[in-house]
Amino acid sequence: MATLWVGLDRGDADQPHLEQRVLGVLEAFPAPATHVCTLLVREGHAHHAASLALDLGTAAGGALGSAASLTRVAERFGGALVALGAAGEPALELGEEALRPGARVAAAALRDGAGGRAIRFPGQEALVGRVRVGDVPSLSAIASLTAIGTSLSEDRILDTRDHVRPAFADGALRLMVVPAAGGTVIPHDRPRAHECGACGH
Amino acid sequence: MSHEHQHGDHSHDHADQAGTSPEWADLQVPDSELSPTGLSRRRFLQRTGLLGAAAVAGSMTGALPVAAQSASAQDALPAYDNPRQQYRYLAGDHHIHTKYSPDAIYEVAQQAEKAKEYGLDWMVITDHGGPTHQRLSIDPTSVDVIAAREQVADILIYQGVEWNIPAGEHATVFLTPGGADIDTLKAFELGYDGAVLAAAGTIPGATTNSPAVEEYAYQGLRYLSDQIQAGAIGDAVMLPNHVSRRGLDSPHELRGYRDAAPGIAVGMEGAPGHQAAGIPVTEGGIGDDRGFYGNVLNAESFPGYVPESYFTYGGFDYNVTKVGGLWDSMLAEGKRWCITATSDSHFNHLEAFVRGGTPEQQTAAYYNTTGQYLPPVYTGIPTPAGDFWPGYYSQTLVAATDKDYGAVIKGLREGRTYAIHGGLVRGVDLRVNASGLSDGFGSTVGGRSRARRGRNVRVTVKLDLATTPNFNGDVPQLAKVDLIAGPVTGPVSDLDTLTAPGTQVVETFEISERDRRRGTAVLRYTFRNVQESFYLRLRGSDGNELDADGNPTVDISGDANPWRDLWFYSSAAFVDVVGN
């Protein structure tokens, strides 16, 4: 499967803002990305960048993966865009020079499965409401769950709160959970108030 | 709630730990016959290899790594205590909001009356710093504070600010009344508040990390120090609030505040406010995160903080509850850093007030044009919320020489504090007696005493236990007290150090039903044959929420009723080991 990894960076300080922005830009394209992530970039001034994985074997992924489409994405998103193919392939770089390193870091982290907080990933649509912990890996691309302050059993209930944001580590998507009311666990990554009053979302 | 502790009474003592082996240390006693805390203690010591065939109580030498005593550590240590000093124990709260905050509601006098009703001797008004507050709120607050001092007797009311530390978290800053106090507050906020600086475009954002932005914080603290030196104000202190909530205060920033202007940044909120936030919906609460600690790391979080650190444990901040964690790593430098417990009262649980005025006058936009909200209106409809009134659940007990504005600040600076939840104990008096070099009552919490190398150091803890109901209607049941100690290893070379591997629980005391009925307990422990300088501190629990090691457990989101998980913590006392 040929995959294109794309990094996007506008230097966002606010993670929910970035999440809204990248999903808003992608709305213009028909379900093109297998994964959409945000990544905390600590190079230079700490900020959040975004990354996409496009399956070039599908019509939608291939369409978005064209240089013309990526140029449109970069224009709509702003900042910088860096596309990486598999190792050795030439990269496409667009937009502000100063922001390209962050975009490159985000794309490479997703390619290597080393980092990226997934806001869209395969099987996410099945992780709504309450789900058995043991069912999560079969329902979705999440490979495993790790818990803080509790131990997990397959029959424990994950109350997704319709907000599941697993993160890549060691080549796989992993979901960190914490104990919650009623013996359930909830994702450690909680929806947060979008504090930017100016952007209209 | 003032407590005058007498030191001549010897009502009931625990078995001298040096003389008799506790059951958990006696391997002839099977696990099944031990109490849960005893079993927990035995297993912990077995895991760490400290419990073998012989009892281990009483010796620091086997438990702690040898630490070099550096001359610079000596210099940094606080002055020796006068061992005969008597203290008054004054309960207070340094983190209280009013209608002069964009996200709060109550009158100054309302907070003062409630604080008095719920047993406080001192309190600090800390509305949020920011351009509006700096410009419009400080003056009317000072008018209200002066009026409240007249109206509500016997409670010290300080005016302060909840400072947006540039590049950091929020912090309480407050001054003694008088002199140029109000002008100093205004100037401090104008020059050094992160939100003010960000609004002016001086810095990119209130929490934006960079050495240049951090420098504004250090300069702000030095500014306060300079005003004291110049005689413009009497005294001032700063205490970072909800330190681990967003991971914004890195270890080097906490040390930076402490060292920027010694005596100004003196400690931190060890237990955040918003303790009602974890009450389950099924029990009438809002079912949120205890302390509103639900935030996950963001771009400005210190990368070295582990995911576990973004939660409260038994209502206290992770940096305090983690034995051998960040707080211990600061204490291991041999420097004081007190801890407190506060209400952070904005909207109180099951209260029935709403903001006065039209819907428009209840909005942040209105606050931004006026610097305050209209007086709150009583609706009669109790509404769940995240906070408690000052003193209702969280109290900071300060051992002060007098009940006055200067003495409470001095008590905080000198580390004489206990952070107490839900009235778990009414009073604590920790005393350290180092054989041969001091006598009398010993040095107290926050103090420093000297012991000759190879001699014994005796610790005595007198507990004034709860015998009457707390404000939830329960008589709190103190189940155990842990004595925690660690070597003083001197200043750290890496300012982001956040572990103190030598620090551990050296003794767990179980509180008996007889103690609780009597209302007092005296705990004794002897550090035998001390070889190196060390510090010690206490924590106590109602025993309801303990892990296998006797530590507090993570507070469950939406299911953390604070009344069923009570703790108290002391600040630290230091022992210098000297000579041969």
Side-chain angles (χ1 to χ4, degrees):
Chain A
M1 178 181 90
T3 303
L4 190 69
W5 289 276
V6 179
L8 298 163
D9 194 343
R10 299 189 311 160
D12 282 87
D14 187 64
Q15 188 188 68
H17 191 150
L18 170 64
E19 210 177 299
Q20 298 264 13
R21 179 78 178 189
V22 69
L23 293 177
V25 168
L26 292 177
E27 269 172 15
F29 301 91
T34 58
H35 296 79
V36 181
C37 300
T38 67
L39 181 77
L40 183 54
V41 177
R42 294 194 180 274
E43 291 183 0
H45 193 80
H47 64 279
H48 296 278
S51 57
L52 318 172
L54 306 178
D55 181 358
L56 299 179
T58 67
L64 182 60
S66 70
S69 295
L70 290 177
T71 303
R72 278 171 56 212
V73 169
E75 282 166 1
R76 288 181 182 217
F77 184 77
L81 179 151
V82 171
L84 302 178
E89 285 183 33
L92 173 68
E93 300 203 352
L94 300 168
E96 289 180 46
E97 289 283 347
L99 292 169
R100 289 184 190 181
R104 211 175 292 127
V105 165
L110 181 57
R111 178 191 63 196
D112 302 338
R117 164 184 169 275
I119 57 179
R120 293 291 179 266
F121 57 93
Q124 186 183 35
E125 63 284 354
L127 302 181
V128 291
R130 293 177 172 229
V131 182
R132 252 179 100 252
V133 162
D135 293 340
V136 171
S138 56
L139 288 171
S140 72
I142 295 173
S144 64
L145 285 75
T146 54
I148 292 174
T150 186
S151 58
L152 287 178
S153 66
E154 299 242 310
D155 287 329
R156 194 101 183 242
I157 296 300
L158 169 68
D159 181 354
T160 66
R161 302 187 173 184
D162 301 345
H163 177 93
V164 181
R165 301 287 186 265
F168 276 101
D170 300 328
L173 269 182
R174 303 175 198 282
L175 182 67
M176 191 176 290
V177 297
V178 295
T184 63
V185 292
I186 58 174
H188 177 236
D189 187 313
R190 239 86 55 80
R192 278 186 290 166
H194 182 195
E195 290 169 0
C196 169
C199 88
H201 291 294
Chain B
M1 190 176 79
S2 301
H3 306 287
E4 308 281 348
H5 281 253
Q6 302 302 317
H7 297 284
D9 59 326
H10 292 280
S11 46
H12 163 66
D13 288 6
H14 269 250
D16 185 347
Q17 298 298 338
T20 59
S21 173
E23 283 197 328
W24 51 259
D26 182 358
L27 296 175
Q28 302 294 321
V29 179
D31 286 0
S32 57
E33 287 180 29
L34 291 176
S35 68
T37 50
L39 183 58
S40 160
R41 180 81 191 119
R42 172 181 289 178
R43 289 195 171 147
F44 170 62
L45 289 172
Q46 285 172 332
R47 273 199 299 281
T48 57
L50 288 174
L51 182 59
V56 296
S59 171
M60 286 294 289
T61 51
L64 298 172
V66 172
Q69 181 67 41
S70 79
S72 54
Q74 289 270 12
D75 297 341
L77 279 163
Y80 290 113
D81 263 20
N82 172 0
R84 296 191 184 279
Q85 179 66 55
Q86 295 271 11
Y87 294 107
R88 305 179 64 171
Y89 287 77
L90 303 176
D93 181 344
H94 67 70
H95 192 172
I96 300 167
H97 293 267
T98 73
K99 68 177 185 183
Y100 297 109
S101 285
D103 54 356
I105 178 169
Y106 304 113
E107 298 279 6
V108 171
Q110 201 174 4
Q111 293 284 30
E113 282 176 2
K114 288 295 187 177
K116 176 77 192 309
E117 178 181 346
Y118 295 126
L120 297 189
D121 302 297
W122 59 274
M123 60 183 285
V124 187
I125 299 297
T126 51
D127 288 304
H128 289 289
T132 304
H133 180 267
Q134 195 278 332
R135 199 162 50 88
L136 299 173
S137 309
I138 295 178
D139 280 327
T141 304
S142 71
V143 171
D144 286 4
V145 165
I146 290 165
R149 286 178 190 141
E150 294 291 319
Q151 189 180 336
V152 188
D154 295 332
I155 183 164
L156 304 170
I157 308 172
Y158 296 88
Q159 182 171 353
V161 61
E162 186 164 28
W163 182 33
N164 296 292
I165 309 172
E169 252 299 346
H170 299 170
T172 287
V173 170
F174 67 102
L175 321 176
T176 49
D181 56 343
I182 303 306
D183 287 342
T184 301
L185 260 188
K186 282 186 198 166
F188 171 75
E189 200 170 320
L190 183 65
Y192 307 104
D193 184 87
V196 173
L197 294 171
T202 310
I203 61 173
T207 64
T208 301
N209 279 329
S210 75
V213 176
E214 287 175 14
E215 188 54 38
Y216 281 94
Y218 308 139
Q219 283 179 11
L221 295 165
R222 284 193 284 266
Y223 168 78
L224 292 174
S225 182
D226 290 345
Q227 301 316 300
I228 298 169
Q229 295 297 323
I233 54 172
D235 209 347
V237 288
M238 174 271 206
L239 300 144
N241 293 329
H242 39 74
V243 170
S244 297
R245 187 175 70 172
R246 294 180 289 175
L248 296 179
D249 287 338
S250 61
H252 75 261
E253 284 169 290
L254 291 171
R255 290 186 169 94
Y257 310 149
R258 181 194 63 189
D259 298 337
I264 302 293
V266 299
M268 62 187 172
E269 199 180 61
H274 307 310
Q275 289 283 328
I279 298 175
V281 172
T282 52
E283 297 175 30
I286 59 173
D288 209 298
D289 298 287
R290 194 170 176 181
F292 287 140
Y293 264 42
N295 295 297
V296 295
L297 65 87
N298 63 40
E300 309 298 340
S301 306
F302 174 64
Y305 289 140
V306 295
E308 287 86 340
S309 72
Y310 292 83
F311 299 88
T312 57
Y313 292 70
F316 278 68
D317 189 284
Y318 176 82
N319 283 337
V320 169
T321 62
K322 176 70 176 172
V323 175
L326 174 56
W327 184 38
D328 281 317
S329 80
M330 294 175 71
L331 297 174
E333 293 179 72
K335 297 184 182 182
R336 288 164 168 154
W337 190 250
C338 77
I339 59 161
T340 63
T342 75
S343 67
D344 202 352
S345 166
H346 287 69
F347 284 88
N348 297 331
H349 184 50
L350 300 182
E351 263 308 336
F353 290 94
V354 296
R355 286 191 186 124
T358 63
E360 289 71 34
Q361 288 169 324
Q362 298 169 28
T363 62
Y366 178 80
Y367 172 88
N368 286 336
T369 58
T370 60
Q372 60 183 287
Y373 291 106
L374 294 169
V377 174
Y378 186 74
T379 64
I381 305 164
T383 307
D387 314 338
F388 291 119
W389 288 108
Y392 192 85
Y393 182 79
S394 303
Q395 298 198 350
T396 301
L397 214 54
V398 174
T401 50
D402 292 291
K403 185 170 176 178
D404 64 42
Y405 287 99
V408 170
I409 283 187
K410 194 158 179 280
L412 289 164
R413 173 175 299 132
E414 297 183 356
R416 293 192 299 270
T417 70
Y418 299 94
I420 300 169
H421 274 172
L424 179 60
V425 289
R426 287 156 45 86
V428 192
D429 190 24
L430 166 68
R431 294 282 166 164
V432 179
N433 284 80
S435 306
L437 286 174
S438 70
D439 56 7
F441 307 122
S443 66
T444 187
V445 65
R448 174 191 179 199
S449 49
R450 273 180 297 191
R452 287 201 192 284
R453 182 162 287 114
R455 302 293 288 271
N456 297 343
V457 172
R458 286 180 290 118
V459 176
T460 309
V461 181
K462 297 189 180 185
L463 296 163
D464 187 2
L465 301 174
T467 52
T468 53
N470 60 21
F471 296 114
N472 194 47
D474 318 315
V475 179
Q477 307 283 307
L478 181 68
K480 68 129 178 192
V481 174
D482 293 325
L483 174 63
I484 295 166
V488 169
T489 49
V492 291
S493 51
D494 176 3
L495 291 175
D496 277 323
T497 299
L498 43 61
T499 60
T503 299
Q504 57 191 290
V505 176
V506 296
E507 179 69 324
T508 294
F509 301 91
E510 293 179 33
I511 307 301
S512 70
E513 185 54 40
R514 199 173 56 156
D515 295 329
R516 287 191 289 266
R517 273 202 307 275
R518 196 188 301 265
T520 61
V522 180
L523 317 177
R524 296 184 190 283
Y525 185 84
T526 303
F527 291 92
R528 297 200 172 279
N529 184 23
V530 295
Q531 294 298 314
E532 301 298 338
S533 298
F534 64 100
Y535 71 93
L536 57 102
R537 60 185 183 89
L538 303 171
R539 69 177 180 192
S541 164
D542 63 2
N544 286 338
E545 297 282 349
L546 302 176
D547 71 11
D549 295 335
N551 292 312
T553 60
V554 67
D555 288 315
I556 292 174
S557 182
D559 190 8
N561 188 319
W563 299 103
R564 289 199 297 269
D565 184 15
L566 302 179
W567 289 78
F568 83 84
Y569 286 72
S570 77
S571 291
F574 298 87
V575 179
D576 259 4
V577 176
V578 297
N580 299 313

